[in-house]
């Protein structure tokens, strides 16, 4: 279902971005001391050199708060002006209360509704699209969209198939109502295929397979994946949904200044860009330093692009993600206030 905002009264402007990473670095050399792997294998197969890892007991809110504060400061907006906070994550501090609720309190966003959205690696694209709908419908003026994960709490550091990929990090983007013909989120497309759920999952993470000594001994509380299947599906689906969205909006790759893809593997990002006919100079890549932070990858990459001057007012951006569900999506936006 591609959705564009062409008939709405307002457009959701992407006003500012903030980000936060934990201090501790986990390098490939560190991982080689935990499992049978090496720097050369990890870099050549994934493009990742290091990732950041939270200290034990450090929850997502410890990253979401500084990311949100930085975003609001850059936007010149106070927390009391927020109508809503949506946090995309699969690793919030707790299932209840939501991390969005914790953030609402910590920020002092007294008027804001707050809830979490779990859509794995596609979480930020899903949350951004949902928040934009509130604004386009005139139901909210300002929504803080946060994406982040503490994947170190969900990764088995004795499993070399998964532990090399993931890291922790969080970003926050402020959406603000603006004129319908101005810059902002122009359209999005969200897709899913639940038949592939078992290919990338955390078996014991909810009501179905409850934690027991047996599930814990088998490591069922950690990410499991069919790496090859996820790899091929990610390339195929991300390119496909980008082309569908561009077609729906009547755009071509000439209308993209920056592609901001989910950072799962450099060997997924490069062929996706190639299928879209985009040179790597127009693609934001930071996986080398941060790995796959699940719902955090796209806001972290946007924040890096803003910091290095590639993302400025008027930059036309296509964001795209793929992850557990299976679920994937893309959004097309023009950065800044009108
Ligand atoms: N270090 C060294 N060797 C490793 C290794 C590691 N960390 N992990 C796996 N291997 C081994 C395998 O055991 C296998 O050995 P074998 O041939 O003796 O059985 C060999 O390397 C090749 O494994 P394979 O799984 O075919 O490698 P690959 O090229 O597919 O790369 C991934 C593996 C996980 C990097 C890749 O499949 C991938 O990125 N998949 C997508 C995962 C993902 O992005 N998940 C999150 C999505 S949001």
């Amino acid at each position: 279902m591609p959705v564009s905002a062409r008939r709405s009264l307002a457009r959701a402007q992407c006003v500012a971005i903030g980000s936060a990473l934990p201090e501790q670095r986990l390098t490939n050399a560190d991982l080689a001391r935990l499992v049978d792997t090496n720097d050369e294998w990890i870099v050549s197969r994934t493009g990742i050199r290091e990732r950041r890892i939270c200290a034990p007991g450090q929850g997502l809110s410890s990253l979401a708060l500084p990311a949100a504060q930085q975003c609001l400061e850059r936007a010149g907006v106070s927390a009391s002006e927020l109508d809503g906070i949506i946090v995309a994550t699969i690793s919030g501090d707790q299932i209840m209360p939501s991390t969005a609720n914790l953030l609402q309190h910590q920020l002092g966003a007294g008027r804001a509704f707050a809830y979490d959205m779990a859509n794995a690696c596609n979480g930020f694209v899903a949350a951004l699209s949902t928040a934009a709908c509130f604004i386009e419908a005139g139901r909210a003026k300002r929504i803080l969209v946060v994406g982040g994960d503490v994947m170190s709490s969900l990764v088995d550091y004795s499993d070399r198939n998964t532990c090399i990929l993931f890291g922790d990090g969080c970003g926050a983007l402020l959406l603000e109502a603006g004129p319908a013909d101005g810059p902002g989120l122009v359209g999005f497309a969200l897709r899913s295929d639940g038949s592939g759920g078992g290919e990338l999952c955390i078996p014991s993470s909810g009501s179905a397979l409850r934690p027991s000594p047996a599930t814990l001994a088998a490591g069922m509380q950690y990410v499991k994946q069919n790496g090859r299947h996820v790899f091929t599906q990610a390339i195929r689906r991300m390119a496909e949904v980008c082309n569908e969205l561009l077609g729906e909006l009547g755009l071509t790759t000439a209308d993209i200044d920056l592609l901001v893809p989910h950072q799962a593997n450099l060997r997924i990002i490069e062929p996706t860009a190639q299928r879209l006919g985009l040179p790597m100079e127009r693609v934001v890549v930071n996986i080398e330093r941060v790995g796959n932070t699940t719902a955090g990858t796209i806001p972290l990459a946007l924040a890096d692009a803003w910091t290095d001057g590639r993302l400025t007012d008027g930059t036309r951006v296509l964001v795209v993600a793929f992850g557990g569900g299976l679920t994937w999506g893309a959004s097309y936006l023009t950065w800044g206030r009108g």
Side-chain angles (χ1 to χ4, degrees):
M1 181 198 59
V3 180
S4 66
R6 283 171 292 184
R7 284 182 297 278
S8 68
L9 297 174
R11 182 161 276 170
Q13 302 178 120
C14 302
V15 165
I17 185 88
S19 64
L21 291 169
E23 281 186 13
Q24 191 187 334
R25 290 181 153 79
L26 186 67
T27 66
N28 292 349
D30 295 330
L31 286 169
R33 284 189 280 275
L34 298 175
V35 290
D36 181 15
T37 191
N38 58 72
D39 179 61
E40 192 280 327
W41 194 96
I42 301 172
V43 173
S44 64
R45 300 291 178 121
T46 71
I48 303 168
R49 292 184 186 278
E50 64 177 37
R51 57 301 280 142
R52 299 294 187 92
I53 298 293
C54 283
Q58 189 186 354
L60 179 65
S61 65
S62 71
L63 302 177
L65 181 62
Q69 287 169 328
Q70 187 180 61
C71 175
L72 292 176
E73 195 185 312
R74 288 173 176 173
V77 166
S78 79
S80 61
E81 295 176 276
L82 292 176
D83 298 313
I85 299 171
I86 304 178
V87 176
T89 188
I90 56 166
S91 54
D93 289 35
Q94 295 159 286
I95 287 179
M96 184 172 70
S98 75
T99 299
N101 280 119
L102 301 176
L103 189 58
Q104 181 264 339
H105 173 63
Q106 291 165 350
L107 285 172
R111 294 174 46 240
F113 67 76
Y115 57 82
D116 291 355
M117 281 181 66
N119 202 219
C121 293
N122 193 45
F124 186 77
V125 177
L128 193 66
S129 310
T130 304
C133 290
F134 275 98
I135 290 174
E136 289 160 12
R139 301 275 179 173
K141 283 212 165 72
R142 290 188 190 85
I143 300 181
L144 190 67
V145 185
V146 177
D149 271 296
V150 178
M151 291 306 292
S152 59
S153 68
L154 299 174
V155 163
D156 180 355
Y157 286 99
S158 67
D159 176 9
R160 69 178 183 173
N161 291 299
T162 52
C163 73
I164 58 158
L165 298 171
F166 295 100
D168 305 340
C170 188
L173 186 154
L174 181 67
L175 286 181
E176 187 177 84
D181 57 354
L185 198 143
V186 179
F188 62 82
L190 298 174
R191 300 277 187 278
S192 68
D193 175 11
S195 72
E199 309 292 351
L200 176 56
C201 63
I202 305 173
S204 177
S205 54
S207 53
L209 186 58
R210 300 179 193 194
S212 69
T215 64
L216 293 172
M220 305 296 265
Q221 69 276 30
Y222 296 127
V223 174
K224 309 285 179 202
Q225 69 174 359
N226 176 348
R228 277 288 166 93
H229 182 82
V230 174
F231 185 88
T232 51
Q233 283 293 306
I235 298 168
R236 178 178 155 210
R237 297 305 197 176
M238 289 207 293
E240 184 182 273
V241 75
C242 286
N243 282 323
E244 286 169 357
L245 179 61
L246 291 174
E248 156 80 6
L249 297 174
L251 302 172
T252 69
T253 48
D255 299 299
I256 302 168
D257 298 317
L258 277 187
L259 176 71
V260 181
H262 174 52
Q263 312 279 312
N265 187 325
L266 185 59
R267 286 168 55 229
I268 291 174
I269 295 171
E270 286 174 341
T272 301
Q274 199 177 18
R275 285 183 183 206
L276 292 171
L278 280 170
M280 287 306 287
E281 302 84 68
R282 277 153 67 190
V283 183
V284 180
V285 178
N286 65 1
I287 193 169
E288 179 175 317
R289 291 182 291 108
V290 291
N292 181 351
T293 56
T294 301
T297 61
I298 288 177
L300 286 174
L302 285 169
D304 282 356
W306 186 86
T307 303
D308 68 23
R310 299 172 77 190
L311 180 65
T312 58
D313 284 359
T315 305
R316 299 164 303 168
V317 183
L318 182 64
V319 303
V320 60
F322 176 91
L326 300 170
T327 178
W328 60 100
S331 304
Y332 181 83
L333 58 96
T334 307
W335 191 259
R337 281 190 173 107

